[in-house]
Amino acid sequence: MANDKVDQLAEVFQEFINFSDWSYENNDGDYSKERASQNKYITGKFVKSENSKIIIDGLRFSWTYNQNFGGRKMWSKGYLTNENHNLVFDRSDENHKKIRFELFHDNPKSTRVIKEIKCGKSSPTYNQIVDLVRNFWDYLDQSVDSELVSNTIEKLKRSKNIILRGAPGTGKSYLAKEVAARMIGIDPEGLNDSEQFQFVQFHPSYDYTDFVEGLRPVINDDDTVGFELQDGIFKDFVGQAIKANNVGVDNFDATWEKLVQKVEDEGFITIPNIRRGEFQVEMNSTGTGLVTRTYPGKYGQGQWVSGKSRFFSREQLYNVYRGLPGVPKGGQDSYRKAIIQYMGAKLSLKKYAPKESSRPKPYIFVIDEINRGEISKILGELFYSIDPSYRGKAGAVQTQYANLHVNTEKFYVPSNVYIIGTMNDIDRSVDSFDFAMRRRFRFIEITPEQTLSMWQGQLHGEVLIEAKRRIKELNQQIAQTEDLNANYQIGPSYFLKLPELGNDFDALWSDYLEPLLEEYVSGSYDEKEKLLNLKNAYELQLNEGLDEDED
């Protein structure tokens, strides 16, 4: 970020802190919306919205107010945020002032403080504020552009399956990992240690047995060689995601079937009441629930119901099992609770816990170079299960080796599994991405301009400025060259070679870019002229007319 932007944001933050001090010292319990809106640091430069927020280049500045000391003082907390990073000023009273930079993700538990300055009674100095703002912004820009990551996450959440497509070197794989890390709630460096992330690269030899399941040779106890059915990398990953969803216990259906069978076998069963006595139930005539047996005129210790039959449906009992009322108006839940207790004591009904997490953890599966494998052959029948419209048990399928399974359970892909593919548009080595598979993925183009931020912290000063000029001119010339187009443009990752080359742009051209561009124009009748024009653009000569001197 340019220094003027750091200064601008620091100025906003400084004025907010000044206002916080003013509001704290001058409020004597007269707290109101009108008083809260008296933000003297909001001038013509910063537009105040209706919900007390300022938007500056995608960063949102917001604040909250509260009262302490029995309403005698008003204190403020301000945030400079981009939804995933916070710069915070926190003042609880005159003795505790601090500013801090927080990093957080979709998972609130992942919040951690990157840097904090405790100021005690004194307000932070302007230099301290600038230091925090610069640290804040550098962290945002040290990887792929934050807005690009956020937009890609939103598209992935909606579509479940996306493919990042674009020119070579645009950082598609890097972006995929940034997206995965943000969604999981960890730093990218920790992805390989997370069970919620898996990375695989397709190639022409990759097949169904690698991805889904297949027979693998094993050594038996008698040293003979046999074959064993083993899950492939994707099926094993999906199994982990399903297991993570089943965080609790819900064996009601299986226990209900046992209860029905018991009632049918015995004709009726006797169930202890909640407080005292007992009652009997039998199946109703349609087999959809239980009814109490009636005994006209028979009362006493047995607590038999006289002249009235009560009906308990499976759905009502399941609600009670979950801790909900059996019927909207209640009235008979003591009987239903007694039935649930009986099912627990006699038929092993376990205490209810949600079968699937209300907020299941995201599991991200990245397929690098997805178009280099024969994808229809690799996925097989799974092309149906990965469809966003058929996630979950609705899209369960029998796999090719289903007859070798011990159980007959079908395979499905849960909704918390997200697939990110990457592909180079110009890779013509394999062309097997059929239309049936294409419509199950959302294609997102990644351009070189979108990922220039990968240079942050790698290229500096004049080298950074020159790199931006060279890549811009070269890519413009590539797009204008006959038989080429924007898909052949150079991604910024090629320029990350500069530090190891001693920032020698000529070496970068001769050792990395020229061989690639020669391949691009190979076979053209004027390939030498095209390559010369590309070189001139890279050397910033083409627009100055210096190419004519070469004739």
Side-chain angles (χ1 to χ4, degrees):
M1 174 185 265
N3 286 333
D4 59 344
K5 184 59 64 177
V6 172
D7 291 338
Q8 182 187 11
L9 296 177
E11 179 185 348
V12 172
F13 216 68
Q14 174 73 74
E15 293 184 9
F16 168 77
I17 292 172
N18 294 340
F19 168 73
S20 179
D21 289 342
W22 170 82
S23 63
Y24 185 89
E25 298 298 333
N26 289 275
N27 177 53
D28 294 318
D30 180 22
Y31 176 70
S32 65
K33 290 183 179 179
E34 289 74 23
R35 188 174 183 84
S37 66
Q38 292 176 10
N39 248 331
K40 62 181 181 181
Y41 76 86
I42 299 179
T43 66
K45 293 183 296 182
F46 309 120
V47 180
K48 175 176 176 291
S49 67
E50 293 180 358
N51 58 349
S52 298
K53 293 178 181 177
I54 305 172
I55 306 297
I56 304 175
D57 289 0
L59 296 173
R60 188 178 74 250
F61 192 93
S62 60
W63 55 93
T64 59
Y65 299 92
N66 209 332
Q67 292 173 283
N68 56 8
F69 296 113
R72 294 191 301 273
K73 297 292 184 180
M74 182 176 72
W75 58 273
S76 311
K77 180 183 288 187
Y79 303 88
L80 180 63
T81 177
N82 76 333
E83 304 293 348
N84 291 284
H85 306 77
N86 271 350
L87 193 62
V88 182
F89 172 70
D90 191 357
R91 174 179 187 159
S92 55
D93 56 49
E94 67 269 14
N95 295 316
H96 298 90
K97 299 179 182 180
K98 57 186 176 182
I99 53 176
R100 64 182 179 272
F101 168 29
E102 299 174 340
L103 169 66
F104 65 99
H105 298 281
D106 289 342
N107 179 4
K109 293 182 179 180
S110 68
T111 302
R112 63 187 180 91
V113 176
I114 301 298
K115 190 171 184 179
E116 181 177 73
I117 298 177
K118 296 180 180 180
C119 308
K121 293 184 178 181
S122 302
S123 292
T125 66
Y126 185 73
N127 287 338
Q128 288 175 319
I129 296 171
V130 169
D131 181 50
L132 260 293
V133 170
R134 182 175 288 112
N135 187 281
F136 170 83
W137 188 260
D138 286 347
Y139 198 98
L140 297 185
D141 269 7
Q142 71 179 0
S143 57
V144 179
D145 181 73
S146 182
E147 184 177 355
L148 176 61
V149 174
S150 298
N151 291 340
T152 305
I153 287 174
E154 287 304 311
K155 293 175 182 179
L156 178 60
K157 286 181 176 179
R158 292 184 180 184
S159 304
K160 303 294 184 184
N161 312 317
I162 64 172
I163 289 180
L164 306 177
R165 52 174 285 263
T170 48
K172 297 179 291 295
S173 302
Y174 192 70
L175 173 60
K177 292 181 179 180
E178 289 281 335
V179 168
R182 178 85 63 83
M183 288 186 66
I184 294 171
I186 60 177
D187 290 329
E189 293 78 11
L191 282 175
N192 291 334
D193 297 324
S194 174
E195 70 167 18
Q196 295 173 245
F197 174 79
Q198 186 59 261
F199 184 95
V200 67
Q201 190 175 74
F202 277 2
H203 52 78
S205 298
Y206 209 83
D207 64 13
Y208 181 91
T209 61
D210 299 310
F211 196 70
V212 185
E213 64 180 359
L215 294 173
R216 290 286 184 265
V218 295
I219 305 296
N220 298 319
D221 293 337
D222 58 359
D223 292 333
T224 60
V225 178
F227 289 89
E228 180 178 89
L229 184 63
Q230 295 183 2
D231 290 342
I233 190 170
F234 183 71
K235 188 178 180 184
D236 180 70
F237 182 77
V238 168
Q240 294 294 327
I242 294 174
K243 183 178 179 181
N245 281 351
N246 297 333
V247 296
V249 175
D250 182 350
N251 68 332
F252 182 86
D253 286 340
T255 311
W256 171 255
E257 291 177 5
K258 291 181 183 179
L259 180 66
V260 170
Q261 188 64 49
K262 183 177 179 63
V263 173
E264 290 179 345
D265 291 345
E266 300 181 10
F268 67 91
I269 58 175
T270 302
I271 295 177
N273 257 327
I274 294 294
R275 295 181 178 177
R276 62 186 180 86
E278 55 191 11
F279 62 97
Q280 293 178 343
V281 293
E282 59 190 356
M283 294 302 299
N284 70 334
S285 59
T286 59
T288 57
L290 301 176
V291 293
T292 53
R293 302 181 77 204
T294 59
Y295 296 86
K298 185 174 182 179
Y299 289 88
Q301 187 176 0
Q303 295 294 308
W304 305 123
V305 180
S306 175
K308 182 178 180 181
S309 176
R310 291 181 170 87
F311 172 70
F312 311 115
S313 71
R314 180 259 177 216
E315 289 73 20
Q316 293 169 345
L317 291 170
Y318 183 61
N319 282 347
V320 173
Y321 170 65
R322 295 171 57 198
L324 304 174
V327 292
K329 295 182 180 180
Q332 299 179 28
D333 277 358
S334 62
Y335 289 92
R336 299 185 182 93
K337 289 177 181 178
I339 296 174
I340 295 300
Q341 286 186 3
Y342 176 87
M343 293 170 69
K346 300 294 184 180
L347 302 175
S348 302
L349 178 66
K350 299 184 182 298
K351 186 176 180 180
Y352 172 76
K355 188 173 183 180
E356 291 194 359
S357 170
S358 59
R359 189 179 181 183
K361 296 189 297 184
Y363 278 67
I364 319 298
F365 195 94
V366 176
I367 306 174
D368 199 36
E369 305 285 358
I370 191 171
N371 61 323
R372 297 194 69 245
E374 193 172 344
I375 192 167
S376 297
K377 181 179 179 181
I378 293 172
L379 267 66
E381 63 282 338
L382 263 60
F383 84 97
Y384 179 80
S385 299
I386 68 170
D387 191 309
S389 302
Y390 295 100
R391 289 297 184 91
K393 294 183 179 180
V397 295
Q398 292 277 9
T399 60
Q400 295 180 23
Y401 293 87
N403 61 317
L404 298 180
H405 293 171
V406 176
N407 55 54
T408 58
E409 186 174 338
K410 294 183 178 180
F411 176 75
Y412 68 93
V413 180
S415 60
N416 64 318
V417 170
Y418 300 88
I419 301 174
I420 305 176
T422 71
M423 62 182 287
N424 293 328
D425 288 331
I426 61 173
D427 188 354
R428 294 164 290 188
S429 59
V430 179
D431 188 16
S432 60
F433 214 84
D434 59 42
F435 289 105
M437 193 62 66
R438 282 178 182 270
R439 70 181 180 87
R440 287 169 167 83
F441 285 85
R442 181 173 182 172
F443 286 75
I444 301 172
E445 183 178 12
I446 307 300
T447 65
E449 293 80 8
Q450 289 177 298
T451 54
L452 288 176
S453 55
M454 70 171 65
W455 291 346
Q456 191 74 24
Q458 306 295 320
L459 306 181
H460 307 277
E462 293 299 322
V463 174
L464 176 62
I465 296 173
E466 186 174 352
K468 288 182 177 180
R469 293 177 60 200
R470 286 178 183 258
I471 193 172
K472 178 181 178 181
E473 296 297 331
L474 176 58
N475 281 336
Q476 285 181 350
Q477 184 62 31
I478 290 174
Q480 297 169 8
T481 299
E482 186 181 1
D483 297 327
L484 302 182
N485 54 47
N487 293 333
Y488 290 81
Q489 290 181 334
I490 300 298
S493 67
Y494 284 95
F495 286 75
L496 293 177
K497 301 289 185 182
L498 281 170
E500 68 184 58
L501 297 173
N503 295 326
D504 187 341
F505 284 93
D506 291 337
L508 179 65
W509 171 264
S510 61
D511 297 349
Y512 292 96
L513 300 182
E514 187 176 29
L516 177 66
L517 296 172
E518 283 178 342
E519 182 67 23
Y520 283 177
V521 300
S522 177
S524 301
Y525 72 95
D526 54 351
E527 62 180 83
K528 289 185 177 180
E529 180 180 349
K530 289 178 178 177
L531 190 61
L532 178 60
N533 287 336
L534 293 171
K535 182 178 181 181
N536 287 338
Y538 173 77
E539 294 180 347
L540 307 176
Q541 297 179 21
L542 192 61
N543 293 335
E544 300 173 15
L546 297 182
D547 53 56
E548 298 176 358
D549 296 340
E550 300 288 339
D551 294 334

